C-alpha cells in the first residue's frame, strides 16, 4: 500500500509496550492501519533497556532478536511502509539506562555503540528519551549530539517529561534531574517534540490549564504533545472521553500548531479494551486530526483584550496560592512489559 501522507501536527502517538496477549500470542499493532478512520502518525516501541555489562540490551524482558519478537519487527516494517514513523523508547520506569549513559566518555561509548547498532539493525526512525532517573544536562546533551551525528537530521529525537517539568524550572518537579527549559535553550533545534505526561499526579488532562500555562511560559505549542493514560489500569489520572474531547478541542482552537496527543499504552486502550484497542486511536483521530468545528473557538483573553496571566496549575495547592515545595509522587502502579508472565 502507498504511504499515507499526514500533516506534521497534530501528532497522534501510540506507546506500544505490551507486545503479547496473556496466551503468548502477539498483540498485533496492524489494526491501526487496517481499521478505517485511523491516522496514527508515530508508534513508540517500549521499552529499550541498557543493562550490565555493556551490550546487554533488552526490549522489555528479552533481547531484541528473541524469536518472540519476529512478528513484532515484521509488523513494524509494515507500519513504516504505510507512512507511520516507528520510534524506540529508551528508559522509562526501569532505571539504569541513563545512569550508564551519564558516566565518563569511555563508559558512554561502551553502552552507546551497541544501542546505536541496534537502532540501525532495526531501522528505527527515532528515539524517545524517557528519562525517569537523575541525569545531568551535559549527559543528555552528549547523547542527543551523538544520535544526530550518527543518524542525521531526519532522525527523530523526542523526550517524555512529566507535565510539571514544563511548568517549573525546579528539578524537584520532574523525574529527570536536569532542567528541560535549559535543554530546550541549548538543544531545542534537535528535539522534535515532548511527549508530556499529564497523569500520575504530574499533570491533569481534564482541563486545559496545564497546557495553557506551558504556552504562557514560552513553550511552542507544536512541541507539546499531550500524554494521557488510555485505561485506568495503566496509571492514575484517566479522564472520561467526553471531558478529554472538550479539552482537546479547546486546545486546538486556542493554540495554532497544537502538538497532538499520545496514549500510554496500546494493548488495552479504551473504549475497546483488549478486544479492540485500536478504537482509542480512531476516537483521537476524529478529535485531534479532524476538522476543527467553529463552535469550539475559545480564545484566552481578559475583558480588555490583553492576554491573561495564568497561575501555575501544578504549583498551586488546592484552594490557596501556596506553592508546593515538591512535586507529588505518582501513585504506585504496574508498568506492563510484554504481557506474558510465564516463560
Amino acid at each position: 500500500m502507498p504511504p499515507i501522507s499526514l500533516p506534521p501536527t497534530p501528532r497522534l502517538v501510540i506507546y506500544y509496550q505490551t507486545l503479547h496477549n496473556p496466551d503468548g500470542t502477539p498483540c498485533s499493532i496492524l489494526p491501526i492501519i487496517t481499521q478505517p478512520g485511523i491516522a496514527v502518525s508515530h508508534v513508540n516501541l517500549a521499552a529499550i533497556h541498557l543493562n550490565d555489562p555493556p551490550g546487554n540490551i533488552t526490549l522489555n524482558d528479552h533481547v531484541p532478536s528473541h524469536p518472540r519478537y519476529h512478528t513484532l519487527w515484521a509488523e513494524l516494517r509494515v507500519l513504516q511502509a504505510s507512512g507511520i514513523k516507528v520510534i524506540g523508547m529508551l528508559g522509562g520506569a526501569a532505571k539504569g539506562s541513563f545512569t550508564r549513559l551519564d558516566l565518563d566518555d569511555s563508559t558512554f561509548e561502551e553502552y552507546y555503540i551497541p544501542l546505536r547498532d541496534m537502532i540501525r539493525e532495526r531501522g528505527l526512525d527515532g528515539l524517545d528519551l524517557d528519562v525517569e532517573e537523575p541525569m545531568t544536562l551535559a549527559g543528555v546533551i552528549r547523547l542527543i549530539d551523538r544520535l544526530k551525528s550518527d543518524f542525521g537530521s531526519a532522525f527523530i529525537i523526542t523526550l517524555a517529561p512529566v507535565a510539571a517539568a514544563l511548568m517549573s524550572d525546579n528539578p524537584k518537579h520532574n523525574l529527570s534531574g536536569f532542567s528541560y527549559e535549559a535543554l530546550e535553550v541549548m538543544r531545542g533545534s534537535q528535539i522534535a517534540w515532548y511527549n508530556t505526561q499529564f497523569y500520575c499526579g504530574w499533570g491533569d488532562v481534564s482541563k486545559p490549564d496545564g497546557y495553557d500555562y506551558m504556552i504562557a511560559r514560552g513553550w511552542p505549542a507544536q512541541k507539546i504533545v499531550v500524554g494521557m493514560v488510555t485505561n485506568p489500569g495503566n496509571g492514575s489520572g484517566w479522564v472520561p472521553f467526553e471531558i478529554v474531547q472538550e479539552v482537546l478541542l479547546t486546545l486546538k482552537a486556542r493554540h495554532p500548531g497544537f502538538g497532538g496527543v499520545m496514549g500510554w499504552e496500546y494493548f488495552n486502550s479504551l473504549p475497546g479494551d483488549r478486544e479492540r484497542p485500536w478504537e482509542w486511536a480512531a476516537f483521537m483521530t476524529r478529535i485531534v486530526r479532524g476538522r476543527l468545528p467553529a463552535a469550539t473557538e475559545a480564545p484566552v483573553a481578559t475583558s480588555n483584550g490583553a492576554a491573561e496571566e495564568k497561575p501555575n496549575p501544578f504549583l498551586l495547592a488546592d484552594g490557596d496560592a501556596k506553592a508546593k515545595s515538591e512535586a507529588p509522587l505518582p501513585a504506585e502502579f504496574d508498568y506492563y512489559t510484554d504481557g506474558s508472565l510465564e516463560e
Side-chain angles (χ1 to χ4, degrees), residues 131-184:
V131 188
E132 298 191 15
E133 57 187 306
M135 189 179 195
T136 64
L137 180 62
V140 71
I141 287 175
R142 177 175 61 181
L143 176 58
I144 291 170
D145 287 349
R146 279 299 301 275
L147 289 168
K148 283 295 185 180
S149 174
D150 288 337
F151 294 101
S153 59
F155 189 77
I156 301 168
I157 296 176
T158 60
L159 285 95
V162 294
L166 304 189
M167 299 183 207
S168 169
D169 199 33
N170 187 336
K172 290 183 178 181
H173 298 155
N174 73 58
L175 299 173
S176 311
F178 56 82
S179 163
Y180 278 88
E181 290 189 4
L183 178 62
E184 177 68 11

Side-chain angles (χ1 to χ4, degrees), residues 116-267:
R116 177 201 66 190
D117 294 346
M118 189 216 75
I119 293 171
R120 284 178 175 164
E121 179 184 3
R122 299 300 169 183
L124 298 177
D125 297 302
L127 198 63
D128 180 52
L129 309 180
D130 189 359
V131 188
E132 298 191 15
E133 57 187 306
M135 189 179 195
T136 64
L137 180 62
V140 71
I141 287 175
R142 177 175 61 181
L143 176 58
I144 291 170
D145 287 349
R146 279 299 301 275
L147 289 168
K148 283 295 185 180
S149 174
D150 288 337
F151 294 101
S153 59
F155 189 77
I156 301 168
I157 296 176
T158 60
L159 285 95
V162 294
L166 304 189
M167 299 183 207
S168 169
D169 199 33
N170 187 336
K172 290 183 178 181
H173 298 155
N174 73 58
L175 299 173
S176 311
F178 56 82
S179 163
Y180 278 88
E181 290 189 4
L183 178 62
E184 177 68 11
V185 168
M186 299 184 73
R187 289 298 185 274
S189 63
Q190 306 300 313
I191 298 168
W193 70 85
Y194 297 91
N195 293 303
T196 313
Q197 300 180 44
F198 282 81
Y199 46 87
C200 289
W202 297 91
D204 182 3
V205 78
S206 71
K207 48 194 173 184
D209 299 28
Y211 194 97
D212 288 342
Y213 185 76
M214 292 175 191
I215 304 308
R217 283 178 63 88
W219 288 98
Q222 66 269 22
K223 295 190 74 169
I224 308 301
V225 170
V226 175
M228 63 192 78
V229 288
T230 61
N231 185 307
N234 297 345
S236 64
W238 183 83
V239 175
F241 285 100
E242 61 271 19
I243 298 176
V244 168
Q245 172 175 295
E246 291 305 312
V247 170
L248 294 178
L249 289 176
T250 297
L251 292 178
K252 281 185 64 179
R254 287 179 179 174
H255 306 294
F258 171 64
V261 298
M262 73 84 161
W264 177 273
E265 59 168 310
Y266 172 70
F267 83 106

Side-chain angles (χ1 to χ4, degrees), residues 3-15 29 32-33 37-45 76 78-87 125-126 156 158 192-193 195 222 225 258-263 280-282 284-285 288-289:
I4 301 170
S5 179
L6 297 174
T9 57
R11 305 173 189 91
L12 178 45
V13 183
I14 289 178
Y15 277 84
I29 192 71
I32 67 170
I33 60 172
I38 298 176
V40 170
S41 59
H42 302 81
V43 169
N44 286 7
L45 175 65
L76 294 180
V78 173
L79 295 190
Q80 289 173 313
S82 300
I84 295 175
K85 299 296 185 182
V86 175
I87 299 174
D125 297 302
I156 301 168
T158 60
W193 70 85
N195 293 303
Q222 66 269 22
V225 170
F258 171 64
V261 298
M262 73 84 161
W280 183 88
M284 290 298 166
T285 297
V288 303
R289 310 213 78 177

